[in-house]
Amino acid sequence: RDSAIYFSHRSGNVEKLLDTYYDSYLMCEKNKDFQNASKFLRSYTTIKDSVLTAEKTKIIYDLEKQYESEKKEQTIALLHSQSKVKDLEIERSRNIMVTIAGGVIVLSALMYLLYKRSQYRQKLSHARETEELQRQRFRAVMEAEENERSRVAKDLHDGIGQLLSVAKLTLSAIELDRQDVPT
């Protein structure tokens, strides 16, 4: 018994040591050696309690490790989601800036086109006014020429008619004079 306990201690295998103490307890109890049976049972329970305590400590340590690991994973997940949110906010801001820049460009182009259209209309209006003035000048020149032609025609008509009338009167007077003069 003592040698089995000694070798179990030396092997460092706790389960063998527990088995050896428990077997020693059972043998002492069978032999009615209650004092040694009690001693082996106490040793068995002490070792078993310390093993259970060590196992519980290990389990607690593992659970704490898992808890810390999960806590870190949750923190990482939270930071990752916050990072995604910030990335989305940055993307949204960038989209807003691009939209504003596009709007400014479109508005500038529209204003430029309206300005060019206004200039075109002014040029067209100026061209129409110039054309109208040229027409009026042309009409005025034509009317002046027509009036001059009419005046010249009238003068010619009236002047020739008067000359002919005067010539006719003069000839009539000469003929009358000639008839009055004895020959």
Side-chain angles (χ1 to χ4, degrees):
R1 261 187 312 203
D2 290 335
S3 62
I5 291 172
Y6 171 76
F7 285 118
S8 294
H9 270 291
R10 287 219 23 153
S11 72
N13 189 339
V14 177
E15 288 181 23
K16 281 185 182 180
L17 186 60
L18 280 173
D19 287 342
T20 305
Y21 276 122
Y22 191 71
D23 288 341
S24 296
Y25 155 73
L26 289 176
M27 284 173 61
C28 286
E29 191 176 50
K30 207 179 210 188
N31 292 334
K32 306 261 189 226
D33 184 8
F34 295 115
Q35 184 179 8
N36 280 331
S38 172
K39 180 176 111 181
F40 288 129
L41 184 61
R42 255 186 270 124
S43 295
Y44 170 79
T45 1
T46 305
I47 293 172
K48 184 141 179 130
D49 285 347
S50 68
V51 167
L52 287 176
T53 304
E55 286 177 2
K56 286 180 184 177
T57 304
K58 186 177 184 257
I59 290 171
I60 290 171
Y61 175 75
D62 288 344
L63 287 174
E64 284 178 350
K65 202 172 176 183
Q66 285 178 345
Y67 172 74
E68 290 298 323
S69 176
E70 286 181 19
K71 191 174 174 182
K72 285 179 183 177
E73 287 176 8
Q74 287 177 351
T75 303
I76 289 170
L78 178 64
L79 289 174
H80 185 67
S81 66
Q82 287 175 346
S83 173
K84 279 188 176 182
V85 167
K86 288 191 184 215
D87 287 346
L88 289 173
E89 286 175 357
I90 289 170
E91 184 69 26
R92 181 175 165 241
S93 297
R94 190 177 305 132
N95 288 344
I96 288 171
M97 293 300 275
V98 166
T99 303
I100 289 172
V104 167
I105 289 171
V106 168
L107 187 61
S108 297
L110 184 62
M111 288 177 64
Y112 176 76
L113 290 174
L114 288 174
Y115 173 73
K116 282 297 188 180
R117 183 178 180 207
S118 173
Q119 279 186 330
Y120 175 75
R121 283 187 174 181
Q122 286 178 350
K123 283 181 183 179
L124 186 63
S125 174
H126 181 67
R128 285 180 182 162
E129 287 174 6
T130 304
E131 187 179 318
E132 184 61 32
L133 283 174
Q134 286 176 348
R135 280 192 202 132
Q136 287 175 358
R137 286 181 191 152
F138 180 72
R139 275 191 230 121
V141 167
M142 293 301 283
E143 284 178 19
E145 285 180 5
E146 188 63 35
N147 288 341
E148 186 63 23
R149 283 188 201 125
S150 294
R151 187 186 62 77
V152 167
K154 206 182 223 183
D155 284 347
L156 283 175
H157 181 267
D158 289 346
I160 290 176
Q162 286 175 359
L163 275 175
L164 288 175
S165 294
V166 168
K168 186 178 177 186
L169 285 175
T170 306
L171 281 175
S172 294
I174 292 176
E175 269 183 31
L176 279 178
D177 277 342
R178 249 199 208 165
Q179 285 176 0
D180 285 337
V181 174
T183 27

